Each structure stands twice: as C-alpha cells, then as structure tokens.
Amino acid sequence: MKIVGTIAEMRALCRSAKLGGKRLGLVPTMGALHEGHLSLVRAARAKTDVAAASIFVNPTQFGPTEDFSRYPRALEKDCAILEREGVEFVFAPAVEEMYPSGAATWVTVEALSDRLCGKSRPGHFRAVATVVAKLFHIIEPDAAFFGQKDAAQHAIIRKMVRDLDMPVAIEVCPIVRESDGLALSSRNAYLNAEERKSALVLYRSLRRAQELFQTGERNSAKLIAAARQEFASESNVRLDYFEIVNPDSLEPVLDTPSPSLAAVAGYVGNTRLIDNVLLGA
Ligand code: AMP
C-alpha cells in the first residue's frame, strides 16, 4: 500500500492504476477509522478493481468554534487498518497541499447546502462539496463510496456530480451501528460514560418516528412531535433539529411520502452527533 502526500504523485499513481480498464474506487474520510468507514472500504473492494482512501481533516468545513484542532487523528493506525483491508493507495495530504495560499474557488450546491446541518453549520456543505470535487479531480475515481450516516452530504455530492457532469458513480452504504443502536462516529470518542448513554436518544427518537410511521401515521408534524418528546427526559442533550425531508432535495415534507428521510442532530454535552433513518424505503 502506498501512502501519498502530494497531488501530483496521487494523480500519477491513480492514472496508471486505471490503465487497462481497471476501475478505481475512492473512499473519502477524515480518518480515526471505525467499522463504518471499513464498510465503505469493503464495498469499494467488492465493486471496483483498485481501492483508494483519502484521509484529510478538512479545515474549511469546520466552523470557528468547532472541533477542528481536537478532531481525533490516528494516521499510522488508520494506514495499518487500510493496508489489512487491501487498500492500494492512501491519499493523506497536508492542508497546504490541498489549499495553496490564495485559493478562492468554491463549489456551492445551492439550496441543499442550507438545509439540515447546513442551517446550524453555515459554509459546511460548501466546504465539503469543494474538497470532494478536488479529490475527484485528483484521483479520478470511477466510483466513490459514502455512508448513509451523512445523508445530507451524499445528497449534496450526488447533486454536484449530476450538475457538473462528473464521471463518477456515487455509491451509498448503510449506517453501521453499535449493538445498542448508536451510529458509529469518530466523534463518539469525545463522549464520557454518561454522555454515551444519553447519546442513544438520537436513535430512540428516530425509532419512535419509524414505529409510528409503520402504524400508518403519515403526518410529518405528528411524527416529528413524537420524536422530539424523547428528548424531554435527556437534560444532557440539546436537540439541534429533527426533520422529515425528501432524501434528494432535503426539503421538508408534510405527509411523509415513501421514501422520506427522518434526520436528527443534537449536542450531547459539547459533542455534536447526527443520525437518520429512511421511512418507507
Ligand atoms: P468521516 O470520516 O466522518 O468524514 O466519514 C467518512 C465517510 O464514512 C462518510 O461517507 C461517512 O458517511 C461514512 N461513515 C461515517 N460513519 C459511518 C457509519 N456509522 N456507517 C456508515 N458510514 C459511515
């Protein structure tokens, strides 16, 4: 496995790996890898001929008061894991390599970028779309693998790829959870024992909406109200949003057509976590 820090070398390696018609799969990550990331790597290995991963904690997608400086970083351990998983190239550039001084170009997916997490994290999705566009230009993957965990992110990337005619297939993999339902996240490492218990309220609220949906309730306001109720008993957790939206446009829906996306975000102590389920999928 090759660990690459420069754009020029990564581009050259990936181009030569694709010679002879081999299909290249990319798994973009911010590192601190867990089983959720590995499910994407395994999908890339299964569906393409050569698997590449990127590890880049992208500073531009963090707000000024967010956790960029303390975000978990574990490059050596991550690379050992990726090697065991059969990844051929790891792209782990420095910030200055990705953003030479004076960089001034952004990719903005209008409207979608202001929905769900985009409301409370202004500029976040513009930064995500820009860094993913850069990775696609550098690596030129045939397919890129994203987690359903970040449902708004993959909706935005799918739209970007369509709107800008990028020749890459976007593959979405299911959410990997702990046995008690908590969605795996690199940020779970921030939680103390008590917060770890409180964090389950996110999944509980989604399950509440899902159960009601399964009994036939289609009024989104009622599903949301029931889900929000779950937060009343969790003083450790501050709800950011619970919304039911169209999975492609991320626009709120009133009568929960199938499929709809129930998405939740909340602060468990100081840690911001997200989760979602598809209703009627
Ligand atoms: P991150 O390193 O958090 O930027 O995530 C990199 C990729 O892994 C994104 O496409 C995420 O959606 C995906 N991912 C993160 N957590 C999970 C999970 N629990 N299950 C499946 N995919 C995940």
Side-chain angles (χ1 to χ4, degrees):
M1 187 182 79
K2 281 217 152 63
I3 302 164
V4 184
T6 68
I7 291 169
E9 189 187 357
M10 190 65 185
R11 180 173 279 141
L13 278 172
C14 291
R15 282 204 176 153
S16 66
K18 287 175 60 168
L19 291 175
K22 282 201 187 147
R23 295 186 76 244
L24 179 71
L26 170 66
V27 178
T29 82
M30 298 205 299
L33 301 181
H34 52 63
E35 282 293 323
H37 297 113
L38 299 191
S39 71
L40 308 186
V41 170
R42 288 168 196 151
R45 291 266 288 132
K47 294 196 170 177
T48 60
D49 304 306
V50 179
S54 60
I55 298 179
F56 181 61
V57 185
N58 178 30
T60 57
Q61 71 189 60
F62 289 78
T65 62
E66 292 182 357
D67 56 342
F68 172 67
S69 57
R70 70 180 188 122
Y71 194 85
R73 288 164 173 86
L75 184 62
E76 231 172 274
K77 185 172 166 222
D78 288 347
C79 288
I81 294 171
L82 293 173
E83 181 148 41
R84 272 203 303 280
E85 292 289 334
V87 167
E88 292 199 29
F89 307 123
V90 176
F91 184 49
V95 170
E96 308 75 58
E97 178 74 6
M98 286 298 269
Y99 299 110
S101 67
T105 304
W106 296 99
V107 177
T108 304
V109 179
E110 303 279 350
L112 274 74
S113 295
D114 298 326
R115 298 189 179 131
L116 298 180
C117 293
K119 273 188 216 157
S120 40
R121 304 185 73 188
H124 171 71
F125 285 127
R126 173 180 87 152
V128 169
T130 302
V131 78
V132 172
K134 284 168 71 72
L135 291 169
F136 286 177
H137 285 304
I138 295 163
I139 294 168
E140 299 176 318
D142 297 284
F145 295 78
F146 293 87
Q148 174 62 22
K149 162 87 186 323
D150 296 79
Q153 172 172 286
H154 77 68
I156 285 164
I157 300 301
R158 286 186 286 116
K159 182 101 174 88
M160 174 185 82
V161 161
R162 231 178 9 250
D163 289 354
L164 298 183
D165 308 297
M166 295 179 171
V168 50
I170 302 302
E171 302 276 352
V172 178
C173 302
I175 300 178
V176 178
R177 300 179 179 282
E178 302 278 8
S179 54
D180 61 4
L182 182 68
L184 296 192
S185 162
S186 305
R187 289 192 169 97
N188 290 351
Y190 297 149
L191 304 173
N192 64 32
E194 197 188 329
E195 290 168 343
R196 171 67 183 75
K197 275 188 221 145
S198 303
L200 283 174
V201 68
L202 270 73
Y203 188 50
R204 211 160 60 235
S205 69
L206 292 166
R207 297 275 304 163
R208 181 82 187 103
Q210 198 171 39
E211 280 157 19
L212 272 182
F213 179 86
Q214 280 160 359
T215 64
E217 181 62 67
R218 291 293 181 272
N219 181 315
S220 299
K222 287 190 180 159
L223 296 172
I224 292 169
R228 290 177 70 106
Q229 265 301 311
E230 295 292 329
F231 287 83
S233 55
E234 286 292 348
S235 56
N236 249 346
V237 182
R238 182 164 59 82
L239 179 64
D240 181 6
Y241 64 76
F242 190 105
E243 291 195 46
I244 300 180
V245 300
N246 176 290
D248 296 319
S249 70
L250 308 180
E251 267 180 304
V253 292
L254 296 179
D255 54 356
T256 320
S258 295
S260 290
L261 176 75
V264 64
Y267 294 86
V268 183
N270 291 322
T271 303
R272 189 172 188 283
L273 297 179
I274 60 172
D275 199 354
N276 68 81
V277 296
L278 280 169
L279 301 174

